[in-house]
Amino acid sequence: MNFRIRNIFLVTILGVILVACATSDATSQNISVDQKPTGVPSGQKSIATAELATKMPTSAPLVPTEVMISAVEVTKDTQKEEYEVNPSATNTQEEALPTVTEPTATAESKEVSFARPADYDRFSSVEEQAFRQVVEDEFGAATEKAGISVAVYDGDRLWTYAMGEADTGRNIDIDTPILVGSTSKTFVSALVLNQIEKGYYGLADTVGVILADHPDYASFDQTKVNSEVTISEMLSMTSGLADYNENFKGKAGLFSAPDWKPADNINLLQSEYSMPGKFEYVDTNLVLLGLIAEKYGENDLYSLYREEFLEPLGISALFLSAEAVPGNTARPYDDISNYGGTFGNLIDAAPYSFEHYSKGQGRVRWACCGLISTPENMARWGYELYSRKGKAVSEESRKVLYRSTEGGLVNFQGSKQNYGYYLAKRMFTLSDSSEISAYGHPGGGGGYSSLLRYSPELDLSISILANSTLSFQGECVDYAPRSCIASGIFDAYSQ
């Protein structure tokens, strides 16, 4: 195949992928939020704010591995959720990402051992067996799948389990890094609430005031970036901003651009903004909040995560836009019909490397969904963020986070849920007919899926990561496989 024909072939593939991406988003139900912006003098870093607690509106055999928790060396920082049986609910699964021809040079991959900073107690043998049975029953019945890794944490005890395939010819294990997807959003809301508590800005302050003197703000088209949008509206996905992900050609360009900065994503916007108030799951909000956090934190976003959360809490995560890709990261499995197959290892099938794919994702997803980690680290993160015993945020900020879910139900990830500051709340019915609440955030698309859920009633955190989308009805019938597993584990623990 000569060079001209090869280029035509690759451009054709990219076009098919981008069209497929365009069909993956769904319209979400509206929710209203009352906010009254406050004016602040330009250039002032410490912005007057109301008190923080203001009320807001597979191809390989499945080989399980179960490992007793032991201390290992801490690696210094190199570093459609639900399918409901409800046809009226819309699906807001993360779309698959565009890809472009691989550049000549690729990043050097490396192994990364994710931190396990301490020995943890174990759950009882009965509980561990019950947890394992839930995972094996649900994942074993799944059709299109690769690998899955699960962690359960209650502040003292930790259980981890993995089964399936991480890559062609390689089984997944409990330390295999996996893309976290939109569960990454939980770090943004925690960071923003911490900065608000420090007095940098307030929930009702506006983009036009807070970013007025940012060096990139002048490049934003003011017909597309509403200067009156508030912090609260961006956190709750009610800003009315359009989604830069609609610009498929522009996103593809980010993969091969020699230089990139987060503001470039904002400048991909094609549609004008709408008036705030309606719930629309839009990643543009995350980019603007990421820029705000960097400006007032006086550091890049990943460094802020490291300083505020990762190092103090002993949690390991990797920000793809800032770090090299670990060679042992689980590869994405998805629909490969564009490459002559059906379902399988996307990297094996596609004409580009995993490093190229991951670095492109780091640019396109950045603040919204650009982290990779392990379920152990994510389950501990969920506990530190949502439990009253956690240390990720203050008790006042945690109250703000929980109160943000007090609005009406919205259609999110295929089910009716409350949605707050990058925090989804849903109810699970246990086998004894009692109900528990579960807080957290899902993620999915591009060959990966994730779910983080914490139950205040049980004081239990669950993280589920998979290297396939698992966007179909689960064996438990009521939910998609990840929520079936979470529900089953909560039920087993409550016995």
Side-chain angles (χ1 to χ4, degrees):
M1 185 184 297
N2 63 35
F3 181 76
R4 177 180 176 84
I5 295 176
R6 178 176 180 272
N7 281 350
I8 293 173
F9 170 72
L10 291 173
V11 168
T12 302
I13 288 176
L14 177 59
V16 173
I17 292 174
L18 297 179
V19 170
C21 292
T23 64
S24 66
D25 284 340
T27 305
S28 300
Q29 185 169 315
N30 60 336
I31 175 175
S32 61
V33 178
D34 294 327
Q35 293 294 334
K36 296 180 180 179
T38 57
V40 182
S42 176
Q44 182 176 338
K45 178 171 180 177
S46 182
I47 297 177
T49 173
E51 67 174 310
L52 187 61
T54 300
K55 184 174 180 180
M56 283 77 53
T58 172
S59 56
L62 300 179
V63 181
T65 60
E66 186 168 25
V67 182
M68 290 184 63
I69 304 303
S70 59
V72 297
E73 181 181 356
V74 176
T75 302
K76 291 293 181 184
D77 165 9
T78 57
Q79 14 185 49
K80 313 166 133 91
E81 203 229 351
E82 331 296 336
Y83 174 99
E84 294 289 343
V85 187
N86 178 5
S88 64
T90 56
N91 189 347
T92 56
Q93 182 184 25
E94 291 172 38
E95 61 181 278
L97 293 170
T99 52
V100 296
T101 308
E102 178 184 352
T104 304
T106 58
E108 179 182 356
S109 63
K110 56 184 178 181
E111 299 291 317
V112 172
S113 177
F114 281 83
R116 203 177 287 148
D119 286 317
Y120 293 97
D121 293 334
R122 299 187 62 170
F123 290 89
S124 72
S125 59
V126 173
E127 289 171 322
E128 290 187 350
Q129 179 57 39
F131 297 163
R132 176 173 176 164
Q133 197 65 53
V134 168
V135 177
E136 291 183 348
D137 287 350
E138 188 59 47
F139 192 68
T143 51
E144 294 183 341
K145 61 190 175 185
I148 193 168
S149 189
V150 182
V152 181
Y153 183 63
D154 72 352
D156 297 309
R157 299 178 295 175
L158 177 69
W159 178 81
T160 55
Y161 186 65
M163 61 185 296
E165 183 174 303
D167 194 3
T168 303
R170 177 166 63 92
N171 288 325
I172 199 168
D173 61 47
I174 61 172
D175 295 320
T176 301
I178 306 175
L179 270 72
V180 170
S182 278
T183 306
S184 305
K185 289 176 169 68
T186 60
F187 284 86
V188 176
S189 55
L191 180 60
V192 167
L193 289 177
N194 281 355
Q195 290 190 343
I196 288 173
E197 191 163 38
K198 293 173 183 176
Y200 293 169
Y201 45 84
L203 285 169
D205 291 313
T206 62
V207 168
V209 170
I210 299 173
L211 286 180
D213 56 350
H214 190 286
D216 294 319
Y217 186 71
S219 71
F220 298 162
D221 184 339
Q222 295 301 300
T223 67
K224 299 180 175 65
V225 177
N226 183 357
S227 63
E228 296 301 312
V229 162
T230 67
I231 296 291
S232 180
E233 289 163 343
M234 289 186 288
L235 284 170
S236 59
M237 295 286 190
T238 60
S239 67
L241 296 171
D243 193 350
Y244 68 84
N245 286 302
E246 296 172 348
N247 188 341
F248 305 117
K249 182 178 180 180
K251 285 197 301 181
L254 296 182
F255 276 67
S256 56
D259 299 304
W260 171 85
K261 56 185 176 181
D264 294 341
N265 293 23
I266 298 297
N267 287 321
L268 294 180
L269 286 169
Q270 296 176 308
S271 303
E272 295 185 0
Y273 62 80
S274 303
M275 293 306 295
K278 182 180 179 181
F279 176 83
E280 295 285 353
Y281 193 76
V282 171
D283 288 336
T284 305
N285 297 299
L286 278 297
V287 179
L288 290 171
L289 288 173
L291 292 173
I292 290 168
E294 287 190 335
K295 175 187 174 184
Y296 289 92
E298 298 181 344
N299 214 333
D300 67 89
L301 192 59
Y302 180 73
S303 294
L304 293 173
Y305 287 173
R306 186 177 63 241
E307 295 165 2
E308 291 269 342
F309 307 124
L310 303 181
E311 290 182 351
L313 301 174
I315 291 172
S316 289
L318 186 68
F319 209 15
L320 291 180
S321 62
E323 304 292 332
V325 180
N328 61 331
T329 300
R331 278 18 180 194
Y333 284 63
D334 209 342
D335 177 6
I336 55 172
S337 57
N338 291 334
Y339 311 110
T342 54
F343 174 88
N345 189 320
L346 183 59
I347 304 305
D348 284 351
Y352 45 77
S353 73
F354 181 60
E355 291 78 14
H356 177 62
Y357 172 90
S358 297
K359 289 195 172 183
Q361 285 189 340
R363 291 180 172 188
V364 173
R365 296 189 174 195
W366 191 53
C368 88
C369 22
L371 290 174
I372 70 170
S373 190
T374 63
E376 174 198 326
N377 284 282
M378 292 306 297
R380 290 194 291 112
W381 164 247
Y383 193 88
E384 294 286 358
L385 181 57
Y386 302 129
S387 173
R388 294 185 64 182
K389 301 175 185 176
K391 300 176 181 177
V393 295
S394 70
E395 185 59 29
E396 283 304 305
S397 290
R398 188 172 292 110
K399 288 178 182 177
V400 171
L401 198 56
Y402 277 120
R403 289 173 184 168
S404 71
T405 65
E406 292 178 356
L409 294 172
V410 299
N411 281 339
F412 175 60
Q413 297 285 314
S415 67
K416 294 284 189 178
Q417 301 185 50
N418 297 95
Y419 195 90
Y421 291 167
Y422 306 143
L423 176 64
K425 174 190 176 183
R426 67 169 308 144
M427 305 302 294
F428 284 120
T429 302
L430 305 181
S431 57
D432 64 0
S433 298
S434 64
E435 278 194 332
I436 61 168
S437 57
Y439 294 82
H441 207 288
Y448 295 97
S449 56
S450 65
L451 181 63
L452 177 64
R453 288 292 181 188
Y454 168 79
S455 171
E457 294 89 347
L458 302 177
D459 196 31
L460 191 72
S461 179
I462 300 172
S463 172
I464 302 166
L465 299 179
N467 57 328
S468 63
T469 59
L470 298 179
S471 55
F472 43 80
Q473 180 178 327
E475 182 70 6
C476 77
V477 180
D478 294 328
Y479 316 111
R482 283 163 291 152
S483 280
C484 285
I485 290 171
S487 176
I489 290 175
F490 282 137
D491 190 45
Y493 182 75
S494 69
Q495 303 300 316

